[in-house]
Amino acid sequence: MGILDKMVEEGSGRFWGFLGCRFIKGDGKEVQIALTAGEHHTNSMGIIHGGVLTSLMDQAMGMVATAAMEVDSCVTTNLNVHFLAPMRQGELIVTSTILHQAGRSVTAQSEVRDASGTLGCMATATFRVVRAKTPSTESQG
């Protein structure tokens, strides 16, 4: 099982599943996920909440960063979001790609579009590889 498949499988009981995300496709260069946004994803103005949109982009960028770095996990260290047009209930497609890799860091970009292709928001983020603790460092706690 690939890292992206594993992330999707393990995510059903976590935030991924809570939001209602769906994996479309992905590899170490690009990841696409989707969400059928419902009323529970909206804010008081009836548009999709910015936190939902930001979470979608962060999730997709984290997935592409993890796949690109070929690691088990990485964490967001910086996230910049630009809201461009209101998104409404319905199908949202998130596309994320890698911009730059160096050492233990990777920078990605993401965008959210609705079913008609309207660009609702875009983001860039930097991720850092999380190294697993070795048995000798775990006991030194």
Side-chain angles (χ1 to χ4, degrees):
M1 173 185 298
I3 186 66
L4 293 175
D5 295 324
K6 182 179 176 188
M7 290 175 81
V8 171
E9 183 179 306
E10 292 177 353
S12 64
R14 296 190 173 140
F15 195 61
W16 166 273
F18 177 76
L19 276 178
C21 298
R22 294 188 322 278
F23 181 68
I24 297 175
K25 66 179 181 175
D27 56 30
K29 293 185 181 8
E30 179 180 283
V31 164
Q32 276 193 337
I33 64 173
L35 172 73
T36 304
E39 185 175 5
H40 61 286
H41 293 110
T42 62
N43 62 20
S44 61
M45 295 183 296
I47 59 176
I48 304 305
H49 192 286
V52 171
L53 299 170
T54 301
S55 293
L56 290 170
M57 292 185 291
D58 185 42
Q59 177 68 49
M61 288 187 289
M63 292 173 78
V64 74
T66 300
M69 298 295 274
E70 298 179 348
V71 296
D72 289 333
S73 61
C74 58
V75 295
T76 310
T77 60
N78 184 40
L79 176 65
N80 298 294
V81 178
H82 300 272
F83 298 101
L84 306 170
M87 295 282 95
R88 308 222 180 263
Q89 293 181 51
E91 197 67 11
L92 301 176
I93 305 295
V94 185
T95 304
S96 294
T97 57
I98 296 297
L99 290 174
H100 182 261
Q101 283 180 253
R104 292 176 54 195
S105 295
V106 60
T107 301
Q109 66 183 358
S110 190
E111 64 181 36
V112 178
R113 293 183 182 269
D114 65 15
S116 68
T118 300
L119 178 62
C121 54
M122 58 171 286
T124 57
T126 302
F127 297 83
R128 182 117 173 127
V129 172
V130 176
R131 298 239 187 251
K133 291 183 179 179
T134 62
S136 62
T137 60
E138 286 179 348
S139 61
Q140 296 173 5

